[in-house]
Amino acid sequence: MTSFMSSPTISSSTTLGLPSLSPSSLPFRFASHSNNHSCQLRIKCSYAEAGGKDDSKNATIDVVADVKPERVVVLGGSGFVGSAICKAAVSKGIEVVSLSRSGRPTYPGSWVDQVTWMPGDVFYANWDEVLVGATAVVSTLGGFGSEEQMQRINGEANIVAVKAAKKYGIPKFILISVHDYNLPSFLLSSGYFTGKRKAEAEVLAEYPNSGVVLRPGFIYGKRRVDGLEIPLDVIGEPVEKFLRSVENFIKPLNSLPASDLLLAPPVSVDDVAYAVVTAVTDDDMFGVFTIEQIKESASSVKA
């Protein structure tokens, strides 16, 4: 059995004098087997017997190839950022599994039917089922509350997920973290930020050459809360455009403590989502990514 990481291609060869072939002219066809991610190539071959006879004989050869498509597990996939990631990944042909306490969301759109929605808690997840066949894990886990709650959801939950992904041999882990806003150290000592930074450290330690940490600031888009749609983009988008138009003038202020609370440009939830898609598909992308780098990464795959 022959294994391929991508679909086979045929190109012209100057050495053999072979003409280039278009996909429609290829003498084989694919039969997909989605359950085991394999495909069958049915190739029609012509050959002549020894002796130089012109009459050729045809034979059909079945070649089964194991195809390894991208399969992403999104933790918190039914949330604001997580659902945007699921939608963007599906649009790029990536197989998506979501693990969240609420399971399948009520969002409109055909993309929802293309995601495998699994209800569950990261602390009690059956990782044998969740991570089977995964090529990357994306965590959007995070939230506010008491110090203990923030340490648990921003830090401990993500650390549990990283360790599980590493144990099951998942090659890449992507964490949605947060920009530090140039805040003084005493403010960064809150459970929200310390939890996030502990999670970052775990990702970078377990995945030094493939782990990705995205640090967006305020994320805007259309957010659904209890069935209501909150248009955060009405505020976020114009603020982002304004700050980018004056960025050359406000750069001297960036070094001031907490200045980024006002000066850090908001980030579209779609930019965060497509930056994740880039991270999933680009093996050379790893490390910590700032707001600007998130936008750059997103631009490479956005339609």
Side-chain angles (χ1 to χ4, degrees), residues 84 88-89 91-92 220 237 240-241 244 266-279 281 293-303:
S91 75
K92 296 301 179 180
Y220 67 84
E237 188 171 0
E240 180 187 11
K241 289 181 179 179
R244 294 197 181 282
V267 183
S268 163
V269 70
D270 290 333
D271 281 340
V272 175
Y274 282 108
V276 168
V277 171
T278 301
T281 57
Q293 291 169 328
I294 289 171
K295 289 190 67 66
E296 291 173 7
S297 299
S299 66
S300 66
V301 295
K302 285 178 71 173

Side-chain angles (χ1 to χ4, degrees), residues 37 71-75 97-99 118 122 125-138 160-173 207:
H37 304 296
R71 180 182 172 91
V72 178
V73 175
V74 181
L75 305 179
V97 175
S98 165
L99 175 69
M118 301 181 70
V122 68
N126 185 344
W127 296 112
D128 286 324
E129 295 181 4
V130 175
L131 297 178
V132 61
T135 57
V137 174
V138 183
V160 166
V162 174
K163 290 186 179 298
K166 188 67 176 181
K167 177 183 177 180
Y168 283 85
I170 311 305
K172 175 161 280 194
F173 197 101
Y207 291 88

Side-chain angles (χ1 to χ4, degrees), residues 232-266:
L232 297 177
D233 49 342
V234 172
I235 299 174
E237 188 171 0
V239 171
E240 180 187 11
K241 289 181 179 179
F242 171 74
L243 289 175
R244 294 197 181 282
S245 68
V246 298
E247 61 182 346
N248 291 331
F249 300 100
I250 61 178
K251 277 184 179 178
L253 303 176
N254 290 343
S255 59
L256 296 177
S259 59
D260 278 358
L261 286 173
L262 295 175
L263 303 180

